[in-house]
Amino acid sequence: MAEPQTTNIAAVRRKRGSLRGQLLRWLLIPLAVLIALNAVSAWHSALDAVNLAYDRTLLAAARAIAERIRMVDGRVTVDVPYVALDFVQSDIPGRIYYKVSGPRGEFVSGYDDFPAMPSGVPRSPLYPALVHFYDGHYHSNPLRVAALFQPVSDGRDSGIALIQVGETPGAREMLARALLINTLWPQALLVVVTAILMLLAVTLALRPLRRLRDQLAVRAPGELKPFSEDGVHREVRPLVTALNDYVQRLATLVTGQRRFIADASHQLRTPLTVLKTEAELALREKDPQAMREIVIAFHHTTDQAVRLANQLLSLARAEPGAAVPALQPVDLRAAARQACLDYASQAVAKHIDLGFDDRGLPPESRADIMADPLLLHELLANLLDNALRYTAQGGTVTVRIGAAEMFSAKLEIEDNGPGIAPALREKVFDRFYRAPDNTLPGAGLGLAIVSEICAAHNAQITLSEGAEGKGLLVRIVFPRGQPQSNG
């Protein structure tokens, strides 16, 4: 199963890539798109400017021809000035075609197969002359044509002649490309300079992250001091703060583990040493009765060691940061009732009246709390074990379930044992603490485990006297949701 996971991680790394590269792509790709759009706009703007200039040239040529048109005896004649044609044809890439037509459409001069002006071509509003500009084709060559209407008269007859002058777009396109290149190369240079400056800016902006990476790379495994926020940008500061919070939590976890290991090794050393001593005594003993007494003591010491080991494991599970509690809805009433059933035999053995009281809740409701079922069981087990151990034979232990407030569930375990003096009620939650007058065997972990589990569930625990000022009352208030009906 490890190989697919490694492959997925590698795929994510390849997909993510470099942060610097991603920032540069986010900055440069939109800039390149804008430059491309600007190039298209600049090309159309250049064409419009060139067409305007060359259209004026075509109009000037048409006017030069129109000035030489005459009507003699009702017949239109023209003497095309070569200066006008040379004026237009001075641009080598383009060619000029023209045609002069009389008032009745008859051919007068130029290229007789020059196409007629299409219908519906509007008159140009830029000039007072009756000129129409349009795009056409002549012998499969694209043309830009100026069609000028010129009145003619010989005193007896009059009409309107049509002068058409067409030019191939070679010169226009060459000039438009020149204008576009002159516009774009400074922009291209600007993009290159901008890319270099962006690369430098991104590199400098990411320097605090590289410093943070270098600090992480050279840290020893056990070094848990916080990272410095000096020289860190405001946007990166939350990352450093989160890292420091994580380091603090990790330091708490490591400190707790070290303390647990030290405590466990110290507490287990004594029973293990006693077990070893008792085993050696049993091996040397010849008297069966004495050997039996040693075996009974060996069994008792083993029970104490097993109980201590179980408590240490429970404490390890309840340690802050050891694991995230698997919180889920748990019926506190059902869990407490089951715990009473589990410890009923121990209560019977000591002739203790173990009672369960859930009258604080409506009969058809649940006492749901968000809890880890395993940790909740450990909490109930430790409280009941303590209550039964410290209550004398013939005593009473009562488990109550109720509602403390609208959104909380209450657990109470009350006994009529010796109780705990008010001055010691805070200390008994410390690990391995035992009251000076406590003569029963134990390691002092029960209430410490309960305290850790309460902290993991945001529950509040208090200790007070029992009924009539005797014994001990342990009250725990759990956060909970709305009561739910069993029906």
Side-chain angles (χ1 to χ4, degrees):
M1 297 297 293
E3 184 175 353
Q5 183 178 3
T6 304
T7 304
N8 292 336
I9 293 175
V12 171
R13 288 177 178 173
R14 287 194 299 269
K15 183 178 180 180
R16 293 295 181 185
S18 167
L19 177 59
R20 180 173 60 181
Q22 189 173 18
L23 288 174
L24 289 175
R25 286 193 297 272
W26 285 353
L27 293 172
L28 293 179
I29 290 179
L31 181 60
V33 172
L34 291 177
I35 293 296
L37 294 176
N38 182 62
V40 174
S41 176
W43 171 252
H44 289 289
S45 298
L47 281 179
D48 291 341
V50 169
N51 283 333
L52 181 61
Y54 273 79
D55 284 351
R56 290 183 177 181
T57 303
L58 286 178
L59 177 59
R63 281 176 170 173
I65 295 175
E67 291 175 355
R68 306 300 292 269
I69 294 178
R70 299 289 183 271
M71 178 178 278
V72 180
D73 298 329
R75 181 171 175 270
V76 177
T77 62
V78 62
D79 181 13
V80 177
Y82 291 105
V83 175
L85 295 179
D86 288 343
F87 177 77
V88 178
Q89 291 179 334
S90 59
D91 292 320
I92 297 176
R95 293 194 61 186
I96 296 298
Y97 303 93
Y98 77 99
K99 181 182 179 180
V100 180
S101 303
R104 291 175 293 276
E106 71 274 17
F107 174 75
V108 177
S109 179
Y111 297 84
D112 58 354
D113 59 348
F114 195 91
M117 182 180 70
S119 60
V121 177
R123 184 180 70 85
S124 174
L126 300 177
Y127 310 99
L130 299 175
V131 62
H132 301 255
F133 293 99
Y134 63 92
D135 297 320
H137 287 81
Y138 179 56
H139 291 174
S140 301
N141 293 321
L143 292 178
R144 178 68 173 174
V145 182
L148 176 65
F149 289 94
Q150 177 67 26
V152 292
S153 175
D154 61 357
R156 292 178 301 175
D157 196 6
S158 64
I160 296 179
L162 174 62
I163 301 95
Q164 294 172 278
V165 181
E167 177 195 13
T168 57
R172 296 170 182 253
E173 293 178 355
M174 184 182 71
L175 181 58
R177 282 194 297 269
L179 291 176
L180 180 64
I181 292 173
N182 290 335
T183 301
L184 290 184
W185 79 261
Q187 294 184 1
L189 181 61
L190 178 63
V191 170
V192 173
V193 173
T194 302
I196 295 174
L197 293 177
M198 284 183 178
L199 177 61
L200 180 61
V202 170
T203 301
L204 293 176
L206 294 179
R207 183 176 294 174
L209 287 178
R210 290 199 303 273
R211 285 200 300 265
L212 184 61
R213 177 202 62 190
D214 295 339
Q215 292 180 32
L216 284 169
V218 300
R219 279 205 166 192
E223 186 177 354
L224 297 175
K225 66 179 182 180
F227 295 93
S228 174
E229 296 185 4
D230 295 338
V232 176
H233 298 105
R234 185 185 300 109
E235 294 76 10
V236 184
R237 201 166 296 149
L239 173 61
V240 179
T241 302
L243 278 175
N244 287 335
D245 291 342
Y246 174 74
V247 169
Q248 181 62 38
R249 295 194 301 270
L250 187 60
T252 301
L253 176 62
V254 171
T255 302
Q257 289 179 341
R258 290 173 178 171
R259 182 179 60 180
F260 172 79
I261 292 173
D263 292 341
S265 61
H266 173 73
Q267 294 297 323
L268 288 175
R269 186 178 295 114
T270 300
L272 292 178
T273 303
V274 172
L275 285 175
K276 185 175 184 302
T277 302
E278 290 173 343
E280 292 175 349
L281 290 175
L283 290 175
R284 290 197 300 265
E285 187 60 53
K286 303 300 184 181
D287 183 8
Q289 181 62 31
M291 183 178 294
R292 177 178 173 82
E293 294 176 357
I294 295 175
V295 171
I296 293 174
F298 186 91
H299 182 270
H300 180 68
T301 306
T302 303
D303 286 341
Q304 289 182 345
V306 169
R307 184 173 184 275
L308 176 60
N310 289 333
Q311 285 187 317
L312 288 172
L313 291 175
S314 299
L315 184 62
R317 285 194 296 268
E319 279 276 0
V324 178
L327 300 182
Q328 62 189 57
V330 179
D331 187 359
L332 181 60
R333 168 189 273 164
R337 182 187 292 115
Q338 183 60 45
C340 290
L341 292 175
D342 293 341
Y343 280 84
S345 59
Q346 184 175 337
V348 170
K350 291 186 65 175
H351 304 287
I352 293 176
D353 180 12
L354 176 59
F356 179 74
D357 182 5
D358 60 353
R359 290 174 296 177
L361 291 174
E364 299 299 325
S365 69
R366 293 165 53 97
D368 277 346
I369 62 173
M370 296 301 296
D372 184 316
L374 181 60
L375 292 180
L376 181 61
H377 174 76
E378 292 289 343
L379 178 142
L380 291 167
N382 277 277
L383 289 177
L384 281 173
D385 182 74
N386 273 1
L388 294 174
R389 281 162 50 84
Y390 287 98
T391 300
Q393 290 193 8
T396 59
V397 174
T398 304
V399 178
R400 299 188 189 91
I401 301 295
E405 297 174 0
M406 183 180 296
F407 298 111
S408 62
K410 178 176 64 175
L411 166 68
E412 291 183 350
I413 297 182
E414 182 180 359
D415 63 65
N416 60 353
I420 300 176
L424 303 179
R425 288 173 187 169
E426 291 296 328
K427 295 182 180 180
V428 293
F429 292 117
D430 296 339
R431 301 178 184 187
F432 306 108
Y433 176 81
R434 291 174 58 79
D437 57 348
N438 190 349
T439 59
L440 293 177
L445 285 176
L447 289 179
I449 295 172
V450 171
S451 176
E452 296 288 0
I453 295 176
C454 288
H457 291 79
N458 287 329
Q460 298 178 354
I461 180 171
T462 57
L463 304 179
S464 60
E465 295 87 359
E468 299 178 358
K470 298 179 181 179
L472 179 67
L473 173 63
V474 180
R475 178 181 290 112
I476 301 176
V477 178
F478 292 91
R480 58 171 280 195
Q482 293 282 2
Q484 300 177 2
S485 174
N486 283 329

